[in-house]
Amino acid sequence: MRTRRMTKEQGKRCNISRFSNFHHTGSIKGMKRMYYGNQALLVRCGAYIYNVSSEPSIYYQAK
């Protein structure tokens, strides 16, 4: 499954903690299938993966 990565500093600047998240050891495929939908935009920042589908600009600025 595709996720983009963001540094902790970048995450603080865009206030990424306001989005729903799960730990990086969780199943991306399962979370997309059961909760977020297959088109969800996910960004990994530190030890967590955030669903930033409501603000796609955050997803596209991550590497």
Side-chain angles (χ1 to χ4, degrees):
M1 294 277 122
R2 269 219 116 105
T3 61
R4 293 195 177 191
R5 293 178 184 258
M6 182 178 277
T7 64
K8 289 182 183 180
E9 292 79 24
Q10 288 174 321
K12 285 181 183 178
R13 271 187 259 135
C14 67
N15 194 18
I16 200 164
S17 63
R18 62 194 158 113
F19 297 102
S20 60
N21 64 67
F22 60 98
H23 197 261
H24 71 92
T25 60
S27 169
I28 294 171
K29 185 177 180 180
M31 292 300 284
K32 279 188 163 187
R33 184 170 29 101
M34 294 178 71
Y35 298 106
Y36 301 143
N38 288 330
Q39 301 302 317
L41 303 175
L42 302 177
V43 174
R44 179 175 176 175
C45 182
Y48 291 92
I49 299 173
Y50 297 88
N51 178 13
V52 295
S53 297
S54 60
E55 288 191 36
S57 60
I58 294 173
Y59 179 79
Y60 294 114
Q61 75 185 27
K63 294 182 179 182

